[in-house]
Amino acid sequence: MKNVKNKENFEKDFEESLENRKNKESSEESKKSKENLENLQNSEISEEDVEKLKKEIRERISDDEEVEEEEEERFSPEEMAQEIQKIETEKELEEYLDDNHSIDVAESFEELKDDELMRIFELMSDENKAGILEQADEELQTRIIDLLSDEEAIDILSYMSPDDVADILGFIDIQKSKSILNKMKRSQANKIRELLGYEEDTAGGIMTTQYIAFKGNLEVKDVMKKLKVIAPRTEVIETIFVTNKKKELIGEVDLRDILISSDDTKLVDIMDDNPKYVYVEQDQEEVARLVSRYDLKVVPVTNHKKIILGIITIDDIIDVIQEENTEDILKLGGVSEEEEIYSSFWFSVKQRLPWLVINLGTAFLASFVIKLFSGTVEKVVILSSIMTIISGMGGNAGTQALSVTIRALALGEVDFKDTIGIIAKTFLVGAINGALLGILCGAIIWAFCGNFYMGLIVFLAMVGNLVIACMIGFLIPITLKAMKIDPAMASAVVLTTATDCFGFLIFLSLATVFLNRLV
């Protein structure tokens, strides 16, 4: 009887432990545990066995938690730099690089002085040097290239894709860049010069010339032979592009379709004959939008004769999206995209001051509106404290409309044919929000001042300013986009000016009309 009771208690504890560990144990371990439980149910167990198994369970849980803590532990760049400085041999460095991601290592290299950086670099193979250089930021890339001779730089760059090489040579010292290009192999240098010839923010500026393209009449068996030779030197092998005799893009084939097809199947028979592609001069933001819309992993770049010139990979698109989002956010705040958190104070001053001067001018404009009603304000002094509420709420409502509109424009969601319908909807949103906020704020002001007409003025001014703010928040970016001007650049300044001026104008005009009721 005692054994049965112990058995029931053990089963309960064991099942609870299994439930707590269901997200941590592998399916194989879970299956094994269940089998053990079934075996236990068919046998007699003693108290000693129960305690022993409970102890084993606790130890397993404790060990797993320690492993998880070790996995979650991350070292800072400074800590990694200290570890790297202790490395003395090539073997030690090779093992360290195998255990750590190249991005983390590149960040830690920023903490090293030039002499220590070059000492570590000398212990690395050219392929590993290329991996670090590719992941480094622009400042570190420039440091490394400047410290290397042209010949050493060329050896390292030979392991990198042409688009990455073009990016590096595009922002380092122009004389150093020319010197490296002149010493490169002619074929390699010509590819780099071609990429450098495209605008930085176009499809040509972010594409790579490493891709695989075969003619449509090629059979699968021949394709597989060629792939074994070409694949090691190509960035993307999952997608094969198909061309005709004129080298025009006519389709694309997934590598999986090639692998499951018979040897005598021709590419033209298994290809997708409607590939998505972009022109070489297209803006990178349009390319990112196309990739996002169709969930593409790679997109070919062609000229207007549909001759393929290169490809853009998903990693480059992610960089574009991050770059464009950062640029828009900074422009909305009146800050240059060139400024960073670690920029020098003088550079930050020069970048921010022009927009602040413009804001100062708009502030004078708002002050001029207030001056027009100075007589009214002098008679009812409390107006000066209430009018900031109206302008502030208008600014907030306008910013909401502005943010939604700029996002829609960036994603290509706005169809100018639907503008009238959106204007009507924006008007209603402003009116309803203005009315609700006006009732709330007007009631508070009425209770505070003991004057019904003061509350009524606040209500009417709130409705009017929020309607105007929402309309301006939508119309300004739409208008700037139609004028081929970046909406993020000037929208915020215009919006702030409009909501302040109209807010003061509406509120003080109404106060003037009801002046006899307020005094």
Side-chain angles (χ1 to χ4, degrees), residues 91 126 375 423:
K91 184 178 180 181
D126 287 342
I423 289 175

Side-chain angles (χ1 to χ4, degrees), residues 9-278:
N9 291 336
F10 169 73
E11 290 173 0
K12 183 178 179 181
D13 291 340
F14 194 84
E15 287 174 346
E16 288 178 354
S17 66
L18 283 176
E19 181 65 21
N20 293 334
R21 297 296 301 152
K22 64 180 180 181
N23 294 326
K24 297 181 181 179
E25 293 186 311
S26 65
S27 58
E28 183 177 351
E29 290 176 332
S30 298
K31 182 178 180 182
K32 186 177 179 181
S33 298
K34 290 178 181 177
E35 290 176 352
N36 290 338
L37 178 60
E38 290 176 359
N39 293 334
L40 288 167
Q41 289 174 336
N42 297 323
S43 62
E44 292 287 334
I45 58 174
S46 64
E47 290 185 12
E48 185 179 350
D49 292 330
V50 171
E51 294 300 325
K52 184 177 180 181
L53 287 171
K54 284 183 178 180
K55 182 178 179 181
E56 182 182 344
I57 292 170
R58 293 191 191 100
E59 288 176 352
R60 285 174 57 190
I61 294 174
S62 178
D63 291 341
D64 288 345
E65 287 175 350
E66 289 178 2
V67 170
E68 286 181 1
E69 288 178 1
E70 291 177 0
E71 290 177 350
E72 291 175 359
E73 186 176 6
R74 293 289 183 271
F75 295 101
S76 67
E78 292 82 4
E79 292 172 330
M80 291 185 67
Q82 292 175 1
E83 292 294 323
I84 290 173
Q85 288 176 356
K86 299 176 183 178
I87 295 175
E88 299 291 341
T89 65
E90 294 182 10
K91 184 178 180 181
E92 290 177 349
L93 183 58
E94 188 73 27
E95 291 176 354
Y96 187 85
L97 295 176
D98 289 339
D99 294 337
N100 295 275
H101 198 281
S102 56
I103 293 179
D104 298 324
V105 177
E107 287 183 355
S108 69
F109 275 22
E110 297 174 15
E111 308 298 325
L112 300 177
K113 295 181 179 179
D114 289 350
D115 55 346
E116 190 66 26
L117 179 61
M118 293 314 298
R119 183 186 74 81
I120 297 297
F121 239 57
E122 289 174 359
L123 299 176
M124 299 170 62
S125 65
D126 287 342
E127 186 174 359
N128 284 333
K129 292 176 185 177
I132 299 299
L133 190 62
E134 184 176 343
Q135 300 297 342
D137 63 13
E138 293 183 4
E139 184 178 350
L140 180 59
Q141 288 176 337
T142 302
R143 275 182 61 197
I144 293 173
I145 295 296
D146 288 342
L147 292 170
L148 297 172
S149 66
D150 293 347
E151 290 74 16
E152 290 174 324
I154 291 171
D155 290 339
I156 296 172
L157 295 176
S158 65
Y159 287 92
M160 299 173 63
S161 59
D163 59 322
D164 291 325
V165 177
D167 289 340
I168 294 174
L169 297 184
F171 61 74
I172 66 173
D173 179 73
I174 189 169
Q175 296 301 325
K176 180 78 171 180
S177 178
K178 286 182 178 180
S179 177
I180 292 174
L181 284 170
N182 291 334
K183 294 177 182 178
M184 276 184 176
K185 292 180 181 179
R186 182 175 297 179
S187 59
Q188 185 182 8
N190 287 340
K191 287 182 180 179
I192 304 303
R193 288 193 178 96
E194 180 185 354
L195 293 174
L196 288 171
Y198 298 115
E199 292 292 333
E200 184 180 359
D201 57 353
T202 62
I206 59 174
M207 74 177 183
T208 178
T209 54
Q210 290 183 331
Y211 62 92
I212 301 176
F214 296 128
K215 292 181 180 177
N217 59 359
L218 204 63
E219 294 181 346
V220 167
K221 60 183 178 183
D222 298 320
V223 170
M224 294 303 298
K225 292 178 183 178
K226 292 178 179 290
L227 280 177
K228 291 180 180 179
V229 178
I230 300 173
R233 307 192 306 269
T234 307
E235 188 170 351
V236 176
I237 65 170
E238 293 84 3
T239 303
I240 314 299
F241 299 100
V242 184
T243 61
N244 58 18
K245 294 180 179 180
K246 297 180 181 180
K247 297 184 178 180
E248 296 172 339
L249 178 67
I250 60 173
E252 63 183 26
V253 182
D254 193 272
L255 180 60
R256 180 175 56 183
D257 294 331
I258 293 176
L259 294 174
I260 63 176
S261 300
S262 59
D263 290 346
D264 58 350
T265 303
K266 293 183 178 181
L267 289 181
V268 71
D269 296 328
I270 57 174
M271 73 176 186
D272 177 5
D273 58 2
N274 185 30
K276 304 300 178 185
Y277 61 92
V278 295

Side-chain angles (χ1 to χ4, degrees), residues 335-347:
V335 181
S336 169
E337 64 269 22
E338 298 176 3
E339 184 181 350
E340 297 178 352
I341 191 68
Y342 294 108
S343 298
S344 66
F345 80 93
W346 182 239
F347 180 81

Side-chain angles (χ1 to χ4, degrees), residues 386 389-390 393 434-463 507:
I386 298 175
I389 300 175
I390 307 301
M393 293 306 299
L436 294 174
L437 291 171
I439 291 172
L440 177 62
C441 186
I444 294 173
I445 297 298
W446 180 12
F448 180 76
C449 298
N451 190 313
F452 167 78
Y453 290 97
M454 183 66 77
L456 178 62
I457 292 170
V458 169
F459 169 77
L460 296 174
M462 188 74 76
V463 173
F507 179 70

Side-chain angles (χ1 to χ4, degrees), residues 259-317:
L259 294 174
I260 63 176
S261 300
S262 59
D263 290 346
D264 58 350
T265 303
K266 293 183 178 181
L267 289 181
V268 71
D269 296 328
I270 57 174
M271 73 176 186
D272 177 5
D273 58 2
N274 185 30
K276 304 300 178 185
Y277 61 92
V278 295
Y279 292 121
V280 69
E281 73 277 5
Q282 259 184 270
D283 187 89
Q284 61 180 12
E285 196 169 354
E286 296 178 15
V287 179
R289 197 177 299 136
L290 179 75
V291 171
S292 176
R293 180 175 182 178
Y294 294 102
D295 295 328
L296 304 176
K297 295 179 180 178
V298 60
V299 57
V301 182
T302 71
N303 59 18
H304 285 274
K305 294 182 180 179
K306 285 194 70 175
I307 296 176
I308 186 169
L309 303 176
I311 61 171
I312 301 173
T313 54
I314 188 64
D315 58 319
D316 293 318
I317 293 299

